[in-house]
Amino acid sequence: MAENYHYATYFILLLITITNLTSTLGKIEKWKTVVPREHTIIVNTTISNKFHNDLKTIQVASNDYGNIIHELPLAVFHPSCIQDIATLIKISYNSSVPFTIAARGQGHSTSGQAMARDGVVVDMASYRKQRNGGAISVSEDPLIGYYVDVGGEQLWIDVLYETFEHRLAPVSWTDYLYLTVGGTLSNAGISGQTFRYGPQITNVHEMDVITGKGDLVTCSSKKNSELFHALLGGLGQFGVITRARISLEPAPTWVKWVRVLYSDFSDFTKDQERLISIDGSTKNIELDFLEGMLLMQQGSINNWRSSFFPLSHHSRISSLITKHNILYCLELAKYYDHQSEKMVDKEIQVLLQGLAYIPGLHYEKNVSYVEFLNRVRSGELKLQSQGLWHVPHPWLNLFVPKSQILDFNSGVFNDIILKRNITSGIVLIYPMNKSKWDDRMSTITPDEDVFYAVGFLHSSAFNNWKAYDAQNKEILKFCNDVGIKVKQYLPNHSTEEHWKNHFGTKWRTFLETKLLFDPRMILSPGQKIFNDNTNKICYSPYE
């Protein structure tokens, strides 16, 4: 839905000058000061007051959860409505020298993906506050059933609270719910439900999006399908998601939450693969959630994500970690309500029957459905109170083919990780079924029926994040040298050649779609896919 603009009448010059920006930089004493190129942005009088370049605002937009890369925008844009965003993008698109634009939700990326050096960051959080919860609406359609229309700037935790009021909920989640809908749909949105329900991107019916031309377009698998499939997992390259229609199912009330421990990695993965293969068609017994994690000497037995193991068992668990170096924790959950409450224990027994976990190391909890989905929040608040949340997070997230997961364990978990002896954060590992993914979408996965998500979710001090970064690079080099065909989830590549290798056979389609919907390469420059990165300066205040 494009709109015609009469530039001679309605536009003025907003000069964000070298003087202003140098003044801002001068106040950030730890940052390496660089003088950016002079840039003039032509701005509609109706949105000129929505630009901000004060010190605090620029600092926030120059930071993310990774807290390693910092890139200064010229300005931060606070939209009041969707049309403001469309106007901003259209101005850049029609400029002789377009400026880049990044939509920033929660800034939960770890490598500067939501930043726009010398460009404009659109603060979707400020837009969410202005809408004040008015962008989440539950409805029913005779063809698709229940669904929720959600603004792209909204948080998943608010989606959960609103839909649960109707005894409904989406079926696919991320482990951490204080993320925006547009942000996770631009990647994939994975968690322990993915093996059964698919990633979040496969549970979307339609979207509204503002393209890189400033056009507001509604798309679905049947309408503007090329744009629809490109956007899902598209890393923000084709448009800003302003609304998503997400499928809903009846929400359970309670969760039976189970953890069991293994010392043998082969048994651990065989049991994981067996559990995700159960389809429930015969006995109507299947899991709703499955993840796994590593327990190592450097880490704590009960980590910040959840306290699960009783203190009386810590000594035994610690001695087993000392003996085996690593224990593997299989985590599973079965949802239930008052009607199925009497059967859930028996169903868990059936699911656990024959599993090769260490006898006696079997733990269970009963928690509410909302508490289970929001299980990471309490740990976050604890870390925030200790000043340990806003620290560097040199993360590495990979998809590893099932056929090579044993090689990965030997070369990475039992070699690189143990030799470096620095990993104290959470390491997740769990399998997914490729049949639950839609290959028409932009997200890249290994070409096998089953593949594993492996997440090295490190937290570090400001003076040692480079050690974790070096470990991440060693892991990637090892996989490349021995031919383990990993794909990065939440990818971070520095050259176009690396991006071509990442997308593989999808690269040509990805490029052609970019040229169709964002031909001037305006959107999401922080991903560094199309915007030349060789002359850009990324700098950290901790170097």
Side-chain angles (χ1 to χ4, degrees):
M1 291 180 280
E3 184 174 331
N4 293 321
Y5 293 88
H6 303 286
Y7 292 94
T9 305
Y10 293 101
F11 290 89
I12 64 173
L13 291 180
L14 174 67
L15 299 179
I16 303 176
T17 63
I18 290 178
T19 302
N20 289 344
L21 190 55
T22 302
S23 175
T24 298
L25 284 167
K27 298 175 184 177
I28 308 173
E29 295 179 357
K30 291 184 178 180
W31 290 15
K32 295 179 180 179
T33 305
V34 294
V35 180
R37 64 184 181 275
E38 187 171 6
H39 204 142
T40 299
I41 303 177
I42 302 176
V43 182
N44 187 308
T45 55
T46 62
I47 65 170
S48 60
N49 63 340
K50 302 181 190 301
F51 287 85
H52 303 266
N53 69 332
D54 59 278
L55 173 62
K56 183 178 179 180
T57 302
I58 291 292
Q59 278 184 309
V60 171
S62 305
N63 195 20
D64 63 13
Y65 184 67
N67 213 352
I68 295 172
I69 302 298
H70 300 267
E71 296 186 342
L72 296 173
L74 287 176
V76 178
F77 186 71
H78 290 181
S80 299
C81 61
I82 291 171
Q83 190 57 56
D84 285 347
I85 305 172
T87 299
L88 175 71
I89 296 175
K90 190 170 286 291
I91 289 167
S92 180
Y93 177 71
N94 286 291
S95 297
S96 58
V97 180
F99 51 90
T100 57
I101 297 171
R104 184 184 192 276
Q106 291 295 89
H108 201 74
S109 52
T110 59
S111 300
Q113 289 95 332
M115 298 178 193
R117 184 178 186 267
D118 292 348
V120 176
V121 171
V122 179
D123 186 352
M124 302 300 283
S126 69
Y127 180 43
R128 179 175 65 252
K129 291 176 183 177
Q130 290 191 50
R131 302 189 79 174
N132 195 26
I136 305 175
S137 176
V138 174
S139 303
E140 185 179 12
D141 181 275
L143 296 178
I144 63 174
Y146 289 103
Y147 64 85
V148 59
D149 280 324
V150 187
E153 77 291 341
Q154 298 296 307
L155 301 181
W156 282 103
I157 183 63
D158 295 322
V159 175
L160 172 60
Y161 287 148
E162 179 64 28
T163 57
F164 197 72
E165 287 288 326
H166 300 266
R167 310 307 303 173
L168 300 166
V171 293
S172 190
W173 298 91
T174 53
D175 287 336
Y176 180 59
L177 301 185
Y178 287 77
L179 304 173
T180 61
V181 170
T184 67
L185 295 184
S186 295
N187 288 280
I190 63 171
S191 184
Q193 302 94 350
T194 304
F195 78 92
R196 179 175 175 184
Y197 300 104
Q200 289 180 317
I201 55 175
T202 62
N203 291 275
V204 179
H205 292 296
E206 72 175 31
M207 292 180 288
D208 289 340
V209 59
I210 304 170
T211 71
K213 298 178 180 180
D215 298 331
L216 182 59
V217 180
T218 299
C219 58
S220 68
S221 60
K222 296 180 180 179
K223 180 181 181 181
N224 298 310
S225 61
E226 185 177 13
L227 177 59
F228 178 76
H229 292 122
L231 283 165
L232 295 168
L235 307 177
Q237 292 300 310
F238 311 107
V240 177
I241 297 171
T242 60
R243 178 188 64 91
R245 177 166 293 179
I246 300 161
S247 60
L248 300 175
E249 296 292 340
T253 308
W254 301 98
V255 176
K256 174 71 74 171
W257 189 5
V258 179
R259 286 183 180 176
V260 293
L261 298 181
Y262 293 73
S263 59
D264 185 275
F265 185 78
S266 179
D267 290 340
F268 170 69
T269 53
K270 284 179 181 177
D271 284 354
Q272 282 191 316
E273 291 161 15
R274 171 191 161 187
L275 288 168
I276 70 164
S277 70
I278 300 172
D279 63 9
S281 59
T282 54
K283 297 181 180 180
N284 196 32
I285 300 176
E286 57 188 332
L287 286 176
D288 295 292
F289 176 96
L290 182 143
E291 286 189 356
M293 70 182 76
L294 274 57
L295 299 182
M296 295 170 287
Q297 291 183 5
Q298 286 288 99
S300 61
I301 293 174
N302 279 326
N303 57 59
W304 64 270
R305 286 165 59 98
S306 65
S307 296
F308 210 96
F309 305 110
L311 287 174
S312 59
H313 282 219
H314 281 204
S315 177
R316 183 187 179 192
I317 294 172
S318 294
S319 65
L320 286 170
I321 294 174
T322 300
K323 178 181 178 180
H324 298 287
N325 293 316
I326 300 174
L327 291 185
Y328 306 95
C329 175
L330 191 157
E331 181 177 37
L332 54 90
K334 178 72 179 172
Y335 303 158
Y336 64 98
D337 54 27
H338 295 296
Q339 292 182 332
S340 56
E341 183 175 5
K342 294 181 179 180
M343 296 298 298
V344 68
D345 287 332
K346 185 177 294 185
E347 291 175 353
I348 288 292
Q349 289 178 9
V350 171
L351 290 166
L352 293 178
Q353 188 174 3
L355 299 189
Y357 58 88
I358 302 171
L361 299 185
H362 168 200
Y363 308 93
E364 294 186 3
K365 278 186 180 182
N366 289 288
V367 297
S368 73
Y369 178 66
V370 172
E371 180 184 354
F372 175 73
L373 291 181
N374 199 27
R375 61 196 177 279
V376 176
R377 179 62 170 175
S378 60
E380 175 200 352
L381 294 176
K382 182 178 180 180
L383 291 179
Q384 285 185 356
S385 69
Q386 298 171 345
L388 298 175
W389 185 253
H390 299 291
V391 298
H393 295 94
W395 284 10
L396 177 65
N397 291 277
L398 301 173
F399 289 151
V400 183
K402 168 189 168 181
S403 65
Q404 297 176 304
I405 196 65
L406 296 181
D407 296 331
F408 188 91
N409 176 61
S410 298
V412 176
F413 296 151
N414 283 300
D415 188 6
I416 295 173
I417 298 298
L418 293 182
K419 283 181 178 178
R420 286 184 173 264
N421 198 31
I422 60 173
T423 296
S424 58
I426 296 166
V427 180
L428 297 179
I429 172 171
Y430 56 94
M432 292 176 280
N433 293 310
K434 191 176 179 68
S435 61
K436 300 298 182 178
W437 295 67
D438 188 335
D439 201 45
R440 294 172 295 177
M441 296 173 182
S442 293
T443 301
I444 302 299
T445 60
D447 192 20
E448 291 193 6
D449 292 341
V450 173
F451 57 90
Y452 281 78
V454 180
F456 298 90
L457 309 185
H458 302 305
S459 298
S460 75
F462 288 109
N463 61 355
N464 73 338
W465 65 265
K466 288 184 178 180
Y468 292 93
D469 186 58
Q471 178 175 278
N472 292 342
K473 291 175 180 176
E474 185 179 357
I475 292 169
L476 291 171
K477 184 179 186 300
F478 165 78
C479 292
N480 182 69
D481 290 347
V482 302
I484 298 179
K485 298 179 180 179
V486 299
K487 291 293 184 181
Q488 285 191 38
Y489 176 62
L490 312 177
N492 175 32
H493 298 291
S494 58
T495 69
E496 184 176 292
E497 191 61 32
H498 289 159
W499 280 110
K500 287 181 180 179
N501 291 335
H502 170 79
F503 285 106
T505 57
K506 287 188 179 181
W507 171 252
R508 180 174 291 276
T509 298
F510 197 87
L511 175 59
E512 290 174 351
T513 309
K514 178 71 170 180
L515 294 174
L516 183 61
F517 294 106
D518 184 21
R520 305 202 70 184
M521 311 297 178
I522 293 168
L523 301 175
S524 295
Q527 294 285 356
K528 301 178 178 66
I529 303 176
F530 300 105
N531 304 79
D532 182 14
N533 188 42
T534 57
N535 296 319
K536 290 188 175 181
I537 301 175
C538 297
Y539 39 92
S540 169
Y542 317 113
E543 293 182 345

mmCIF file of all heavy atoms in Angstrom, residues 400 403-412 415-416 474-486:
data_model
loop_
_atom_site.group_PDB
_atom_site.id
_atom_site.type_symbol
_atom_site.label_atom_id
_atom_site.label_comp_id
_atom_site.label_asym_id
_atom_site.label_seq_id
_atom_site.Cartn_x
_atom_site.Cartn_y
_atom_site.Cartn_z
ATOM 1 N N VAL A 400 23.697 -29.022 13.962
ATOM 2 C CA VAL A 400 24.654 -30.094 13.650
ATOM 3 C C VAL A 400 23.889 -31.303 13.115
ATOM 4 O O VAL A 400 22.941 -31.764 13.760
ATOM 5 C CB VAL A 400 25.461 -30.506 14.899
ATOM 6 C CG1 VAL A 400 26.498 -31.559 14.542
ATOM 7 C CG2 VAL A 400 26.129 -29.282 15.527
ATOM 8 N N SER A 403 24.008 -37.302 11.745
ATOM 9 C CA SER A 403 25.030 -38.285 11.364
ATOM 10 C C SER A 403 26.418 -37.905 11.858
ATOM 11 O O SER A 403 27.319 -38.753 11.891
ATOM 12 C CB SER A 403 25.063 -38.444 9.844
ATOM 13 O OG SER A 403 25.492 -37.241 9.210
ATOM 14 N N GLN A 404 26.608 -36.654 12.276
ATOM 15 C CA GLN A 404 27.931 -36.196 12.689
ATOM 16 C C GLN A 404 27.972 -35.714 14.142
ATOM 17 O O GLN A 404 28.971 -35.154 14.578
ATOM 18 C CB GLN A 404 28.388 -35.064 11.752
ATOM 19 C CG GLN A 404 28.554 -35.521 10.299
ATOM 20 C CD GLN A 404 28.918 -34.392 9.357
ATOM 21 O OE1 GLN A 404 28.211 -33.396 9.276
ATOM 22 N NE2 GLN A 404 30.035 -34.533 8.668
ATOM 23 N N ILE A 405 26.906 -35.991 14.898
ATOM 24 C CA ILE A 405 26.864 -35.480 16.268
ATOM 25 C C ILE A 405 27.855 -36.201 17.162
ATOM 26 O O ILE A 405 28.408 -35.600 18.108
ATOM 27 C CB ILE A 405 25.424 -35.555 16.843
ATOM 28 C CG1 ILE A 405 25.296 -34.681 18.092
ATOM 29 C CG2 ILE A 405 25.017 -36.993 17.118
ATOM 30 C CD1 ILE A 405 25.469 -33.210 17.847
ATOM 31 N N LEU A 406 28.147 -37.466 16.916
ATOM 32 C CA LEU A 406 29.145 -38.178 17.724
ATOM 33 C C LEU A 406 30.536 -37.629 17.460
ATOM 34 O O LEU A 406 31.349 -37.490 18.387
ATOM 35 C CB LEU A 406 29.094 -39.681 17.438
ATOM 36 C CG LEU A 406 27.792 -40.398 17.817
ATOM 37 C CD1 LEU A 406 27.895 -41.884 17.496
ATOM 38 C CD2 LEU A 406 27.457 -40.201 19.294
ATOM 39 N N ASP A 407 30.835 -37.314 16.204
ATOM 40 C CA ASP A 407 32.119 -36.688 15.874
ATOM 41 C C ASP A 407 32.225 -35.313 16.531
ATOM 42 O O ASP A 407 33.301 -34.918 16.992
ATOM 43 C CB ASP A 407 32.279 -36.559 14.358
ATOM 44 C CG ASP A 407 32.336 -37.906 13.657
ATOM 45 O OD1 ASP A 407 32.797 -38.873 14.291
ATOM 46 O OD2 ASP A 407 31.912 -37.981 12.489
ATOM 47 N N PHE A 408 31.115 -34.596 16.552
ATOM 48 C CA PHE A 408 31.099 -33.286 17.187
ATOM 49 C C PHE A 408 31.391 -33.422 18.683
ATOM 50 O O PHE A 408 32.170 -32.659 19.250
ATOM 51 C CB PHE A 408 29.738 -32.623 16.964
ATOM 52 C CG PHE A 408 29.663 -31.192 17.416
ATOM 53 C CD1 PHE A 408 29.956 -30.158 16.545
ATOM 54 C CD2 PHE A 408 29.293 -30.870 18.724
ATOM 55 C CE1 PHE A 408 29.889 -28.829 16.956
ATOM 56 C CE2 PHE A 408 29.224 -29.552 19.150
ATOM 57 C CZ PHE A 408 29.518 -28.530 18.255
ATOM 58 N N ASN A 409 30.776 -34.400 19.308
ATOM 59 C CA ASN A 409 31.018 -34.631 20.732
ATOM 60 C C ASN A 409 32.482 -34.940 21.003
ATOM 61 O O ASN A 409 33.086 -34.382 21.926
ATOM 62 C CB ASN A 409 30.150 -35.790 21.221
ATOM 63 C CG ASN A 409 30.428 -36.153 22.667
ATOM 64 O OD1 ASN A 409 30.253 -35.355 23.578
ATOM 65 N ND2 ASN A 409 30.878 -37.388 22.874
ATOM 66 N N SER A 410 33.074 -35.784 20.191
ATOM 67 C CA SER A 410 34.469 -36.172 20.397
ATOM 68 C C SER A 410 35.418 -34.999 20.214
ATOM 69 O O SER A 410 36.336 -34.796 21.013
ATOM 70 C CB SER A 410 34.850 -37.304 19.430
ATOM 71 O OG SER A 410 34.070 -38.456 19.666
ATOM 72 N N GLY A 411 35.185 -34.231 19.149
ATOM 73 C CA GLY A 411 36.124 -33.167 18.820
ATOM 74 C C GLY A 411 35.893 -31.861 19.546
ATOM 75 O O GLY A 411 36.833 -31.081 19.744
ATOM 76 N N VAL A 412 34.636 -31.608 19.947
ATOM 77 C CA VAL A 412 34.307 -30.325 20.579
ATOM 78 C C VAL A 412 34.111 -30.487 22.084
ATOM 79 O O VAL A 412 34.872 -29.944 22.893
ATOM 80 C CB VAL A 412 33.060 -29.693 19.926
ATOM 81 C CG1 VAL A 412 32.673 -28.407 20.645
ATOM 82 C CG2 VAL A 412 33.332 -29.411 18.443
ATOM 83 N N ASP A 415 37.104 -32.499 23.660
ATOM 84 C CA ASP A 415 38.458 -32.084 23.312
ATOM 85 C C ASP A 415 38.614 -30.576 23.500
ATOM 86 O O ASP A 415 39.181 -30.117 24.480
ATOM 87 C CB ASP A 415 38.782 -32.497 21.871
ATOM 88 C CG ASP A 415 40.242 -32.270 21.520
ATOM 89 O OD1 ASP A 415 41.027 -31.904 22.417
ATOM 90 O OD2 ASP A 415 40.615 -32.456 20.343
ATOM 91 N N ILE A 416 38.051 -29.799 22.586
ATOM 92 C CA ILE A 416 38.231 -28.350 22.644
ATOM 93 C C ILE A 416 37.731 -27.772 23.965
ATOM 94 O O ILE A 416 38.441 -27.000 24.635
ATOM 95 C CB ILE A 416 37.520 -27.670 21.454
ATOM 96 C CG1 ILE A 416 38.188 -28.086 20.138
ATOM 97 C CG2 ILE A 416 37.530 -26.152 21.614
ATOM 98 C CD1 ILE A 416 37.451 -27.597 18.895
ATOM 99 N N GLU A 474 37.621 -21.711 17.130
ATOM 100 C CA GLU A 474 38.262 -23.027 17.058
ATOM 101 C C GLU A 474 37.231 -24.117 16.775
ATOM 102 O O GLU A 474 37.491 -25.049 16.006
ATOM 103 C CB GLU A 474 39.003 -23.329 18.356
ATOM 104 C CG GLU A 474 39.783 -24.644 18.293
ATOM 105 C CD GLU A 474 40.550 -24.955 19.556
ATOM 106 O OE1 GLU A 474 40.545 -24.134 20.492
ATOM 107 O OE2 GLU A 474 41.172 -26.046 19.609
ATOM 108 N N ILE A 475 36.047 -23.999 17.375
ATOM 109 C CA ILE A 475 34.977 -24.979 17.115
ATOM 110 C C ILE A 475 34.573 -24.949 15.644
ATOM 111 O O ILE A 475 34.444 -25.992 14.993
ATOM 112 C CB ILE A 475 33.771 -24.692 18.024
ATOM 113 C CG1 ILE A 475 34.119 -24.987 19.487
ATOM 114 C CG2 ILE A 475 32.553 -25.519 17.593
ATOM 115 C CD1 ILE A 475 33.081 -24.495 20.477
ATOM 116 N N LEU A 476 34.386 -23.755 15.100
ATOM 117 C CA LEU A 476 34.002 -23.631 13.693
ATOM 118 C C LEU A 476 35.097 -24.151 12.774
ATOM 119 O O LEU A 476 34.817 -24.816 11.768
ATOM 120 C CB LEU A 476 33.684 -22.173 13.366
ATOM 121 C CG LEU A 476 32.413 -21.612 14.022
ATOM 122 C CD1 LEU A 476 32.330 -20.107 13.802
ATOM 123 C CD2 LEU A 476 31.171 -22.301 13.479
ATOM 124 N N LYS A 477 36.352 -23.872 13.111
ATOM 125 C CA LYS A 477 37.474 -24.362 12.295
ATOM 126 C C LYS A 477 37.548 -25.880 12.336
ATOM 127 O O LYS A 477 37.768 -26.532 11.310
ATOM 128 C CB LYS A 477 38.785 -23.765 12.778
ATOM 129 C CG LYS A 477 40.005 -24.144 11.925
ATOM 130 C CD LYS A 477 41.271 -23.498 12.423
ATOM 131 C CE LYS A 477 42.433 -23.782 11.479
ATOM 132 N NZ LYS A 477 42.696 -25.234 11.342
ATOM 133 N N PHE A 478 37.363 -26.459 13.513
ATOM 134 C CA PHE A 478 37.373 -27.912 13.629
ATOM 135 C C PHE A 478 36.289 -28.534 12.745
ATOM 136 O O PHE A 478 36.556 -29.496 12.011
ATOM 137 C CB PHE A 478 37.151 -28.325 15.088
ATOM 138 C CG PHE A 478 36.804 -29.780 15.248
ATOM 139 C CD1 PHE A 478 37.789 -30.758 15.182
ATOM 140 C CD2 PHE A 478 35.487 -30.170 15.458
ATOM 141 C CE1 PHE A 478 37.459 -32.105 15.314
ATOM 142 C CE2 PHE A 478 35.152 -31.511 15.603
ATOM 143 C CZ PHE A 478 36.147 -32.485 15.523
ATOM 144 N N CYS A 479 35.082 -27.988 12.829
ATOM 145 C CA CYS A 479 33.983 -28.531 12.018
ATOM 146 C C CYS A 479 34.303 -28.424 10.526
ATOM 147 O O CYS A 479 34.048 -29.360 9.758
ATOM 148 C CB CYS A 479 32.683 -27.804 12.332
ATOM 149 S SG CYS A 479 32.043 -28.129 13.996
ATOM 150 N N ASN A 480 34.879 -27.319 10.122
ATOM 151 C CA ASN A 480 35.241 -27.135 8.723
ATOM 152 C C ASN A 480 36.349 -28.105 8.305
ATOM 153 O O ASN A 480 36.289 -28.711 7.230
ATOM 154 C CB ASN A 480 35.694 -25.696 8.492
ATOM 155 C CG ASN A 480 36.044 -25.418 7.051
ATOM 156 O OD1 ASN A 480 35.181 -25.398 6.172
ATOM 157 N ND2 ASN A 480 37.330 -25.196 6.774
ATOM 158 N N ASP A 481 37.358 -28.285 9.164
ATOM 159 C CA ASP A 481 38.502 -29.131 8.816
ATOM 160 C C ASP A 481 38.118 -30.599 8.677
ATOM 161 O O ASP A 481 38.652 -31.306 7.815
ATOM 162 C CB ASP A 481 39.605 -28.986 9.874
ATOM 163 C CG ASP A 481 40.282 -27.626 9.829
ATOM 164 O OD1 ASP A 481 40.076 -26.893 8.833
ATOM 165 O OD2 ASP A 481 41.000 -27.292 10.792
ATOM 166 N N VAL A 482 37.205 -31.074 9.536
ATOM 167 C CA VAL A 482 36.850 -32.503 9.500
ATOM 168 C C VAL A 482 35.577 -32.763 8.711
ATOM 169 O O VAL A 482 35.137 -33.915 8.596
ATOM 170 C CB VAL A 482 36.723 -33.076 10.926
ATOM 171 C CG1 VAL A 482 38.020 -32.889 11.693
ATOM 172 C CG2 VAL A 482 35.546 -32.467 11.671
ATOM 173 N N GLY A 483 34.978 -31.710 8.167
ATOM 174 C CA GLY A 483 33.823 -31.884 7.295
ATOM 175 C C GLY A 483 32.496 -32.055 8.000
ATOM 176 O O GLY A 483 31.563 -32.647 7.435
ATOM 177 N N ILE A 484 32.367 -31.555 9.244
ATOM 178 C CA ILE A 484 31.067 -31.567 9.915
ATOM 179 C C ILE A 484 30.261 -30.386 9.379
ATOM 180 O O ILE A 484 30.627 -29.232 9.566
ATOM 181 C CB ILE A 484 31.228 -31.466 11.446
ATOM 182 C CG1 ILE A 484 32.011 -32.669 11.973
ATOM 183 C CG2 ILE A 484 29.851 -31.403 12.127
ATOM 184 C CD1 ILE A 484 32.251 -32.640 13.472
ATOM 185 N N LYS A 485 29.173 -30.665 8.734
ATOM 186 C CA LYS A 485 28.440 -29.661 7.974
ATOM 187 C C LYS A 485 27.461 -28.896 8.862
ATOM 188 O O LYS A 485 26.238 -28.995 8.728
ATOM 189 C CB LYS A 485 27.723 -30.308 6.798
ATOM 190 C CG LYS A 485 28.692 -30.960 5.800
ATOM 191 C CD LYS A 485 27.964 -31.619 4.642
ATOM 192 C CE LYS A 485 28.957 -32.253 3.673
ATOM 193 N NZ LYS A 485 28.265 -32.923 2.538
ATOM 194 N N VAL A 486 28.025 -28.103 9.770
ATOM 195 C CA VAL A 486 27.198 -27.302 10.669
ATOM 196 C C VAL A 486 26.671 -26.079 9.929
ATOM 197 O O VAL A 486 27.259 -25.608 8.955
ATOM 198 C CB VAL A 486 27.992 -26.851 11.912
ATOM 199 C CG1 VAL A 486 28.481 -28.044 12.699
ATOM 200 C CG2 VAL A 486 29.143 -25.935 11.536
#
